[in-house]
Amino acid sequence: MLGHDDSASEDSFSSPNTTNPNGNPISPKTLRSLGIPENAKLLDCPHYTRPRYWEGMEVPEVLCSGDHEAVAKWRLEQRLMRTKQRRPDLLKLDKPLPNEDDGCS
């Protein structure tokens, strides 16, 4: 049993959410601009809580801004970055993402 309807869709290895925290749709242009493939599975984004500063770490400003579209975009960017770093196999990309190097490190 889930405590919240969004729990299953926001769980690890889930498809990217297409709505912001306010429930409004995220524009397909934003998803395309981030290079998120249609059927990609992404790891979860970092989660923060209060206090705003904790043991030298600070909650990112965008999360305190109240701008739901900016928060949704930040979360998608973080999910994509974590997935690329930790589980690139989940992305199943046919082509490299924009602004990516050739994959050699």
Side-chain angles (χ1 to χ4, degrees), residues 41-52:
K41 298 291 185 187
L42 303 177
L43 297 178
D44 203 2
C45 64
H47 292 268
Y48 294 86
T49 187
R50 295 177 196 260
R52 188 168 180 180

Side-chain angles (χ1 to χ4, degrees), residues 37-74:
E38 185 177 329
N39 295 320
K41 298 291 185 187
L42 303 177
L43 297 178
D44 203 2
C45 64
H47 292 268
Y48 294 86
T49 187
R50 295 177 196 260
R52 188 168 180 180
Y53 302 95
W54 179 258
E55 295 183 5
M57 296 181 292
E58 179 180 0
V59 173
E61 184 63 37
V62 67
L63 299 180
C64 302
S65 70
D67 182 339
H68 295 289
E69 186 71 22
V71 169
K73 184 177 179 188
W74 180 88

Side-chain angles (χ1 to χ4, degrees), residues 70-82:
V71 169
K73 184 177 179 188
W74 180 88
R75 287 180 176 163
L76 284 170
E77 289 169 343
Q78 294 296 310
R79 292 179 72 191
L80 182 61
M81 182 175 61
R82 279 184 164 200

Side-chain angles (χ1 to χ4, degrees), residues 1 6 15-16 18 31 54 58 76 79 92-93:
M1 179 173 188
D6 291 336
S15 297
T18 54
L31 295 173
W54 179 258
E58 179 180 0
L76 284 170
R79 292 179 72 191
K92 298 180 184 171
L93 299 177

